[in-house]
Amino acid sequence: MAADGSEREEDGGQETVSSGNVLELFSESKETRELIVGLRDTYEQLVDREVCTQRFIVIMDTYQEQPHLLDPHLEWMLDLLLGIVRDKTSPPVLMHLGFKFLYIISKVRGDKIFLRLFPHEVVDVHPVLQMISVQDPADYETWETRYILLLWLSMTCLIPFDLSRLDGNLSVEGGQTRRSTMDHILEIAKSYLLVSDKARDAAAVLVSKFITRLDVKQKRMADFLDWSLATLSNASYLTIEGTIAMDGMLQALAQLFKHGKREDCLPFASTVLTTLDNCKLCDSNQTVLRKLGVKLVQRLGLTFLKPKVAKWRYQRGSRSLADNLLQTSASTQNSAGTTSTEDDEEYDIPEEIENVVEQLLVGLKDKDTIVRWSAAKGIGRLTGRLPRELADDVVGSVLDCFSFQETNNAWHGGCLALAELGRRGLLLPSRLPDVVPVILKALVYDEKRGACSVGSNVRDAACYVCWAFARAYDHLELKPFVHLISSALIIAAIFDRDVNCRRAASAAFQENVGRQGTFPHGIDILTCADYFAVGNLANCFLNISVFVASFPEYTTALIDHLVELKINHWDNVIRELSTKALHNLTPVASEYMTTSVLPRLLPLTTGTDLHTRHGAILGCAEITHALYKLAAQNNRCIIWDHSR
């Protein structure tokens, strides 16, 4: 730790400096108030306007990691800015500047928190609707205004009154009728679902809140779904316009099926799923479209299934400490996944669920992480509503991702899915003998691709699985696998090439030590191999490994890992550090080095693979040198028996 509070890390001989600040309060509140109040004086000059905006962005971005510190100040900032945008005498430039400041705040604090403070009474509906109606969707410089107005309109739609009460008499002269408020809002939402800027995201939120209103869903929900499905079917992801249209429709449908009531959405779910299948989004090269497709599929699956919590799921214990202390061993066993007659309750599962699960399993193998992550969460949510037998079939299908015929993407998606299933209690202890071996393989997954390798994301996700298991299972359930998991995690924390994987393994090891309490010498190891210590690669190989190897439970596992997977590594730095680590580990296990390691390395020194030959020669040299120094230190000579 440096004097200025920054953390210095060395990885592979290169030093990087990362600074971190822990803030306690919003110290720039006075300056922020002055900036907002001064907008009326600075908006006229472009330079002053840009300087003011950039300073406000710098202040807000400081609280990206601790946005809750802004909460006590959100109300007065909102009041000052709304005073500007509501003032009819404010010039357009000043009004758009006010909305830009509102967007900057919402970006840092989050829309869900910040929007709650917006006024959303009956008197606010028409003014907001009027402001959004006069905006130009093609003006790329004022998209923040349209974004905030659409979100504000979505909040005003929550009024508990029928929108027809706001219309009055719709008839006008000449026998014509005025447009109703309901139709006006729906027209605005439809138009902004097809724009190319961020206002499209806000329009999807507006749809989810507006269409699910009691009065609107009875009159307009079916028509809106027909329009969105027709637009989705006619659009093509091969064109820019088609991609934008599909993005808007998928966002709107996903939000609608998320926030709408199941009984309202169920009649349309099958039609939406069929249309989605015909779009063939899995063949698109647009990551966002594939992600939205997976998101919509899982929402449709949850609509098909009854919203019930699986009674068969594994529960480690109560969330209440007092309840845990009062539990008897009998009640603990009952909560550990035993089934009763109620657990075997049969209910019909729609045929569409098979299609939904299949698409989610395909999503686990997608080439982009955000798609795999969305599919993994969908697998977890959906499995929690299935009967035990069908849920076990899903687990079996997830385990199929760990075949060596599959790509690293499938392994990564499978790890994410197992973690989601485990933390939700849907991976029963009876499945652990099947799951733990594949996780151990995932912790060392490293596939060579030309002059580099892939698999760091797989190893990172495998650490996440171990972290989730520590929180999900009772220590008695994991007891048979403690030695395997603890050795694999500490090996990853010390010898992994990627610093993120080392730190993830260290965090998973710490979680298991804290929650399971069964890892051998866990506290002692954590004091030496904590999150910050494993940031230095050379320190891990040359120092931390020696300390950990001093505990007999880990000695041979560390040495075997170096011999089998690291001395033949494609990275020259890793090979050399591995052989130096063997040198340092020789005094800890000199007999094992002499009788086991050297006989395994000697044949490799004449192998055809250059990486393996190089590592084996260096390894033999380092071990021999260490044995020589050890013999000299003990004033004796170790005679090598060639007959071995």
Side-chain angles (χ1 to χ4, degrees):
M1 183 74 72
D4 58 354
S6 62
E7 299 158 10
R8 297 185 179 272
E9 306 159 10
E10 293 183 6
D11 192 358
Q14 296 182 350
E15 184 182 81
T16 60
V17 179
S18 62
S19 60
N21 296 319
V22 179
L23 305 173
E24 296 181 355
L25 50 85
F26 184 39
S27 57
E28 294 90 349
S29 59
K30 182 178 179 181
E31 183 182 0
T32 302
R33 185 186 294 270
E34 293 174 353
L35 289 174
I36 297 176
V37 173
L39 287 180
R40 296 182 184 273
D41 301 324
T42 59
Y43 78 93
E44 295 180 350
Q45 297 296 326
L46 177 61
V47 175
D48 295 340
R49 189 165 67 240
E50 289 295 329
V51 170
C52 181
T53 303
Q54 289 301 318
R55 179 55 189 163
F56 189 76
I57 292 175
V58 169
I59 292 175
M60 289 293 110
D61 285 349
T62 305
Y63 298 90
Q64 284 277 12
E65 296 183 358
Q66 296 175 277
H68 61 277
L69 296 178
L70 300 176
D71 288 352
H73 308 272
L74 290 178
E75 190 170 352
W76 64 259
M77 286 192 288
L78 180 64
D79 291 341
L80 290 176
L81 291 170
L82 288 182
I84 294 175
V85 302
R86 281 174 155 179
D87 189 354
K88 295 183 179 180
T89 63
S90 297
V93 175
L94 178 59
M95 185 194 69
H96 291 311
L97 192 59
F99 277 112
K100 187 169 187 175
F101 274 47
L102 287 171
Y103 168 74
I104 294 170
I105 299 173
S106 70
K107 182 189 69 171
V108 175
R109 189 59 189 101
D111 297 334
K112 294 180 180 178
I113 302 296
F114 190 46
L115 280 178
R116 297 173 187 171
L117 302 177
F118 275 74
H120 50 274
E121 299 182 3
V122 177
V123 295
D124 299 306
V125 177
H126 279 160
V128 177
L129 190 57
Q130 183 179 3
M131 280 192 285
I132 189 63
S133 299
V134 298
Q135 299 301 315
D136 180 12
D139 187 358
Y140 66 91
E141 292 184 348
T142 61
W143 63 268
E144 294 99 339
T145 300
R146 301 189 294 275
Y147 178 80
I148 293 296
L149 282 173
L150 287 169
L151 291 178
W152 191 0
L153 184 59
S154 71
M155 292 299 297
T156 61
C157 289
L158 300 178
I159 57 174
F161 303 104
D162 196 306
L163 292 177
S164 61
R165 296 186 180 184
L166 304 178
D167 297 329
N169 187 6
L170 294 178
S171 60
V172 296
E173 297 180 1
Q176 298 179 350
T177 58
R178 291 185 293 107
R179 182 174 49 183
S180 67
T181 302
M182 183 184 299
D183 291 337
H184 193 185
I185 295 176
L186 189 58
E187 182 181 330
I188 291 292
K190 285 182 177 180
S191 64
Y192 278 99
L193 283 175
L194 300 174
V195 298
S196 59
D197 54 33
K198 193 172 174 60
R200 184 172 66 246
D201 303 346
V205 176
L206 172 60
V207 164
S208 69
K209 296 182 183 293
F210 178 69
I211 298 295
T212 54
R213 284 178 53 93
L214 180 61
D215 53 340
V216 178
K217 68 184 178 184
Q218 295 174 349
K219 301 176 182 179
R220 299 289 186 268
M221 186 172 185
D223 293 339
F224 175 80
L225 287 173
D226 288 340
W227 171 80
S228 59
L229 293 179
T231 305
L232 190 62
S233 300
N234 296 329
S236 172
Y237 52 74
L238 299 178
T239 63
I240 297 177
E241 294 78 7
T243 299
I244 293 173
M246 295 183 79
D247 183 284
M249 297 306 108
L250 291 172
Q251 281 200 65
L253 291 171
Q255 292 275 7
L256 188 58
F257 278 87
K258 177 180 180 179
H259 297 288
K261 293 183 179 179
R262 179 175 181 266
E263 56 269 21
D264 299 330
C265 298
L266 186 57
F268 310 100
S270 181
T271 304
V272 175
L273 183 61
T274 302
T275 304
L276 191 62
D277 289 342
N278 296 333
C279 291
K280 304 294 182 182
L281 292 178
C282 59
D283 298 330
S284 171
N285 60 354
Q286 299 290 330
T287 303
V288 175
L289 292 184
R290 298 199 307 276
K291 180 209 171 186
L292 290 174
V294 168
K295 185 180 290 292
L296 179 55
V297 162
Q298 64 168 287
R299 294 299 172 190
L300 292 172
L302 295 175
T303 302
F304 287 123
L305 297 173
K306 296 179 180 179
K308 59 183 296 183
V309 178
K311 297 178 180 179
W312 53 265
R313 68 175 181 165
Y314 175 86
Q315 299 181 45
R316 180 174 180 176
S318 174
R319 294 289 183 184
S320 170
L321 179 60
D323 292 342
N324 280 334
L325 294 176
L326 293 175
Q327 280 183 343
T328 62
S329 59
S331 64
T332 303
Q333 292 175 358
N334 188 42
S335 68
T338 57
T339 60
S340 61
T341 55
E342 295 180 350
D343 296 338
D344 299 328
E345 177 185 357
E346 297 289 341
Y347 56 92
D348 294 333
I349 301 298
E351 297 179 357
E352 293 85 354
I353 290 299
E354 183 177 356
N355 182 13
V356 170
V357 173
E358 182 179 354
Q359 292 193 44
L360 292 177
L361 291 172
V362 171
L364 289 179
K365 304 176 184 180
D366 193 89
K367 62 181 180 180
D368 287 295
T369 301
I370 60 171
V371 182
R372 299 194 294 270
W373 184 236
S374 183
K377 289 188 287 188
I379 289 287
R381 291 168 179 152
L382 207 65
T383 307
R385 297 187 182 184
L386 292 175
R388 180 171 180 170
E389 293 75 13
L390 294 180
D392 191 67
D393 291 340
V394 173
V395 174
S397 299
V398 172
L399 290 175
D400 291 338
C401 294
F402 296 95
S403 168
F404 279 100
Q405 284 75 32
E406 296 287 355
T407 63
N408 62 303
N409 296 328
W411 279 67
H412 182 246
C415 286
L416 294 178
L418 288 179
E420 285 294 314
L421 292 170
R423 74 181 191 87
R424 295 171 187 268
L426 306 174
L427 197 62
L428 297 180
S430 58
R431 271 290 189 177
L432 286 178
D434 301 323
V435 172
V436 171
V438 298
I439 296 303
L440 296 179
K441 294 178 182 178
L443 282 171
V444 294
Y445 186 92
D446 192 16
E447 185 177 340
K448 194 172 185 299
R449 294 280 179 86
C452 60
S453 65
V454 296
S456 61
N457 59 342
V458 177
R459 302 193 298 274
D460 183 82
C463 294
Y464 173 46
V465 176
C466 296
W467 178 90
F469 283 5
R471 302 169 69 91
Y473 295 103
D474 186 82
H475 70 280
L476 295 178
E477 305 292 352
L478 288 179
K479 187 176 181 180
F481 313 102
V482 163
H483 179 68
L484 294 174
I485 296 176
S486 61
S487 298
L489 281 178
I490 198 60
I491 286 172
I494 298 175
F495 294 140
D496 199 285
R497 180 176 180 270
D498 192 276
V499 64
N500 292 329
C501 295
R502 295 199 300 274
R503 287 181 162 172
S506 176
F509 190 91
Q510 179 178 348
E511 194 72 17
N512 277 272
V513 170
R515 294 190 179 266
Q516 297 290 321
T518 54
F519 276 25
H521 311 286
I523 300 296
D524 296 332
I525 291 175
L526 282 177
T527 58
C528 179
D530 60 12
Y531 179 88
F532 299 103
V534 297
N536 188 316
L537 185 64
N539 183 50
C540 288
F541 271 82
L542 304 181
N543 299 321
I544 299 179
S545 63
V546 178
F547 176 79
V548 175
S550 64
F551 303 109
E553 292 86 350
Y554 303 101
T555 306
T556 56
L558 292 174
I559 296 174
D560 289 342
H561 177 80
L562 291 173
V563 173
E564 295 170 4
L565 297 176
K566 286 297 186 288
I567 64 164
N568 58 353
H569 199 271
W570 60 270
D571 189 346
N572 181 60
V573 174
I574 297 298
R575 292 200 303 272
E576 292 182 356
L577 283 175
S578 300
T579 57
K580 292 177 182 178
L582 288 175
H583 177 99
N584 292 349
L585 291 173
T586 300
V588 180
S590 57
E591 184 67 22
Y592 186 73
M593 290 289 189
T594 305
T595 59
S596 178
V597 176
L598 278 176
R600 290 155 61 186
L601 288 180
L602 284 174
L604 301 179
T605 58
T606 58
T608 57
D609 183 72
L610 293 180
H611 294 161
T612 303
R613 183 188 297 183
H614 177 240
I617 293 173
L618 285 179
C620 290
E622 292 287 355
I623 294 175
T624 304
H625 185 207
L627 290 172
Y628 166 76
K629 291 196 299 183
L630 188 63
Q633 181 181 355
N634 298 332
N635 294 321
R636 62 186 178 87
C637 181
I638 299 178
I639 301 176
W640 174 251
D641 186 358
H642 294 281
S643 62
R644 295 180 182 177

